[in-house]
Amino acid sequence: MITRREAIKRTVLGAAVIAMGSSIAKGEAKNPKDITELTYPFELPPLGYSNDAMEPFIDAKTMEFHHDKHHRAYVDNLNKALASHSELHGHTLGQLLANSEELPKEIRSAVRNNGGGHLNHSLFWPMLSKNGPRVPQGELGKLIDTDFGGFDGFKKQWTAAALSVFGSGWVWLTKDAENKLKIETSPNQDSPLGQEKQNKKILLALDVWEHAYYLKYQNRRAEYVENFFNVINWERLST
Ligand code: MN3
């Protein structure tokens, strides 16, 4: 049995670890702050482009529902869960997720699911663009060549991972402290940052929940995944 004071101490330590590994693509997400550093009350970030910006690969209707309804619901439900827990209002999103097992039982799963949903979608939107190069650039391109034997090898493994997710979840490209890339999957709204408290960076994400593609692709997840390669914002993704 751990005391409350110990729990808080662990939370702070865990946060330091996750903060190290939480920064993603350069630019917007760090302006003004990395998403993991934000605190209650949480806000829905703008998409950063119009709903039809990824047509025909991701249709405007899906984008509208996905951002305005689904993502908003994660933000609203996260705020609702935390509203009466003022002792947690100073905790960052990164802290809340890295230490969700130490949260009060009655809000634990709400914070994990909705906080994860908020984090994952906030990372995901800026990773999309129809413009720019269609293959990874710079240092990321080199690492992908090294670890996957080239872009085609990466694409193949990424697609296989995306199709392997049973039910709802995410696919991730992460980089560990040794600069080693890894394709990972997570169920529901879990994040690789929340699962393992280690220095890890998320480089690329793909939402494979049905709500991300069902209006346009119905059950054809493979087609959605194939088309995702037309909207990866390689220019903005960095190591
Ligand atoms: Mn989603």
Side-chain angles (χ1 to χ4, degrees):
M1 186 89 179
I2 58 165
T3 65
R4 185 167 194 83
R5 186 176 294 274
E6 276 165 351
I8 291 168
K9 208 166 127 194
R10 287 192 201 182
T11 302
V12 170
L13 286 172
V17 173
I18 198 169
M20 283 162 60
S22 65
S23 61
I24 53 142
K26 61 189 171 190
E28 292 91 319
K30 288 186 172 183
N31 186 21
K33 274 183 172 176
D34 188 300
I35 173 74
T36 59
E37 291 166 19
L38 299 178
T39 55
Y40 177 94
F42 296 96
E43 286 172 22
L44 179 69
L47 255 188
Y49 39 78
S50 60
N51 287 336
D52 64 357
M54 304 305 151
E55 287 271 14
F57 310 112
I58 300 174
D59 59 294
K61 204 56 163 172
T62 295
M63 201 62 99
E64 181 194 335
F65 272 85
H66 200 176
H67 178 267
D68 298 355
K69 308 283 185 199
H70 289 279
H71 190 170
R72 185 183 300 281
Y74 295 125
V75 174
D76 289 348
N77 290 328
L78 176 61
N79 286 331
K80 210 167 123 191
L82 292 169
S84 58
H85 289 268
S86 55
E87 78 279 11
L88 297 170
H89 290 180
H91 289 223
T92 66
L93 183 57
Q95 288 172 318
L96 292 167
L97 292 174
N99 303 283
S100 61
E101 72 277 11
E102 284 155 13
L103 293 169
K105 207 165 80 189
E106 69 274 17
I107 61 164
R108 201 174 294 159
S109 52
V111 169
R112 180 177 170 152
N113 293 332
N114 294 294
H118 178 38
L119 170 67
N120 295 343
H121 290 86
S122 299
L123 297 177
F124 184 54
W125 308 127
M127 292 176 174
L128 304 181
S129 172
K130 259 192 334 196
N131 306 317
R134 289 295 105 228
V135 292
Q137 303 293 299
E139 197 55 37
L140 178 56
K142 284 181 205 156
L143 289 177
I144 284 178
D145 284 346
T146 306
D147 290 343
F148 300 100
F151 181 57
D152 286 346
F154 167 74
K155 203 172 158 180
K156 210 169 156 183
Q157 286 187 45
W158 179 269
T159 302
L163 298 182
S164 78
V165 175
F166 183 76
S168 301
W170 288 77
V171 188
W172 310 94
L173 178 64
T174 61
K175 189 182 79 167
D176 68 15
E178 278 78 48
N179 268 355
K180 179 84 182 154
L181 301 188
K182 195 174 161 194
I183 292 173
E184 304 182 49
T185 62
S186 68
N188 306 313
Q189 293 297 354
D190 290 355
S191 156
L193 302 182
Q195 282 165 359
E196 301 166 46
K197 295 170 196 172
Q198 55 176 276
N199 191 358
K200 190 185 274 189
K201 201 165 162 183
I202 292 174
L203 305 181
L204 182 64
L206 176 59
D207 189 341
V208 291
W209 280 59
E210 281 189 345
H211 69 220
Y213 62 87
Y214 203 82
L215 291 179
K216 181 178 174 70
Y217 297 99
Q218 291 82 48
N219 62 333
R220 305 186 305 278
R221 188 191 285 183
E223 214 178 298
Y224 161 69
V225 176
E226 175 65 29
N227 275 324
F228 173 63
F229 285 93
N230 292 309
V231 294
I232 299 175
N233 191 356
W234 290 116
E235 201 149 48
R236 182 159 181 264
L237 302 178
S238 75
T239 54

